Amino acid sequence: QSALTQPASVSGSPGQSITISCTGTSSDVGNYNYVSWYQQHPGKAPKLMIYDVNDRPSGVSHRFSGSKSGNTASLTISGLQAEDEADYYCYSFSTRVSYVFGTGTKVTVL
Amino acid sequence: QVQLQESGPGLVKPSETLSLTCTVSGGSISNFYWSWIRQPPGKGLEWIGWVYYSGGTSYNPSLKSRLTISVDTSRNQFSLKLSSVTAADTAVYYCARYETMTEKALDIWGQGTMVTVSS
């Protein structure tokens, strides 16, 4: 099964905005609004940040937002803070394999 | 609030069966979908499969021939069994719950348990 494609790393300075892409196919990201995003700090369990492309769970900062265009979903972090430094994974419903994660992106705050 | 806790052996021998249990506390296992996810050391997340409280399942095709996920509502637990394990199955194993809105995202996770496959 092929994972969704994410950039290996993205970096930005405090206060800047960064965007992480997640590219799939018409079997997953392209035809379903069931993309979610997870933040994972070292040694910790993943945390849900965005679900259904652009919805935020209660308690998640408004600095996190999601979007989608065609087969690519995106997570944008605005006003980057030191605590945002972590790994981020996208996740999508898929008609081929039921569910699939992205390859993961390491976010570094410079 | 709902919490999940994985439990099971931390060391499994090659060719044997890996067995893990996830205990749900602070809420009922009923009316939810539940999932297993794993993460090999230094690598990304891999979806393993889900089970509905009534017993329905869906598995990752790459693991399907070796995998069984089941639920025990009387104990508020669900379990994973992965047979014929190899070193490639060494990973942190997480259990998680699907949220209730569209049941397509994982909103509550356990802390994870490390399983090493080695003789």
Side-chain angles (χ1 to χ4, degrees):
Chain A
Q1 136 220 19
S2 296
L4 306 175
T5 301
Q6 298 181 232
S9 62
V10 173
S11 62
S13 299
Q16 286 187 329
S17 293
I18 61 169
T19 297
I20 303 167
S21 60
C22 169
T23 301
T25 69
S26 57
S27 297
D28 38 65
V29 175
N31 274 325
Y32 299 94
N33 291 325
Y34 297 134
V35 178
S36 50
W37 290 90
Y38 302 84
Q39 175 192 66
Q40 186 181 34
H41 287 110
K44 300 295 187 182
K47 174 187 176 183
L48 178 64
M49 305 303 285
I50 295 288
Y51 67 98
D52 297 350
V53 175
N54 56 14
D55 286 332
R56 250 185 327 270
S58 173
V60 172
S61 171
H62 286 215
R63 298 186 297 105
F64 292 84
S65 61
S67 62
K68 191 185 84 167
S69 177
N71 291 340
T72 299
S74 299
L75 173 71
T76 297
I77 308 175
S78 305
L80 198 62
Q81 299 180 0
E83 67 206 50
D84 301 331
E85 186 161 294
D87 293 327
Y88 291 82
Y89 294 89
C90 59
Y91 175 75
S92 175
F93 171 77
S94 167
T95 54
R96 292 183 299 109
V97 296
S98 197
Y99 286 98
V100 61
F101 278 101
T103 49
T105 298
K106 181 176 180 60
V107 168
T108 300
V109 181
L110 301 171
Chain B
Q1 73 278 22
V2 175
Q3 294 184 313
L4 307 182
Q5 178 67 58
E6 306 88 350
S7 59
L11 181 64
V12 181
K13 289 183 168 54
S15 79
E16 295 190 344
T17 296
L18 181 162
S19 297
L20 295 174
T21 296
C22 182
T23 300
V24 180
S25 60
S28 175
I29 201 168
S30 297
N31 301 310
F32 288 96
Y33 287 85
W34 305 90
S35 185
W36 287 99
I37 302 98
R38 71 180 182 179
Q39 184 171 36
K43 296 188 177 181
L45 300 168
E46 179 182 28
W47 178 76
I48 295 173
W50 59 250
V51 61
Y52 193 43
Y53 81 99
S54 59
T57 57
S58 178
Y59 298 155
N60 184 325
S62 68
L63 299 171
K64 188 173 183 177
S65 63
R66 301 190 290 130
L67 182 63
T68 302
I69 300 177
S70 58
V71 62
D72 185 340
T73 54
S74 67
R75 297 186 176 212
N76 237 30
Q77 295 177 333
F78 62 102
S79 300
L80 171 152
K81 291 187 187 299
L82 185 64
S83 64
S84 304
V85 297
T86 69
D89 296 310
T90 293
V92 174
Y93 285 76
Y94 295 99
C95 58
R97 188 189 79 170
Y98 282 97
E99 47 75 27
T100 56
M101 297 298 287
T102 56
E103 301 173 327
K104 298 291 190 293
L106 300 158
D107 65 343
I108 298 176
W109 293 64
Q111 65 185 25
T113 187
M114 180 69 201
V115 178
T116 301
V117 177
S118 175
S119 56

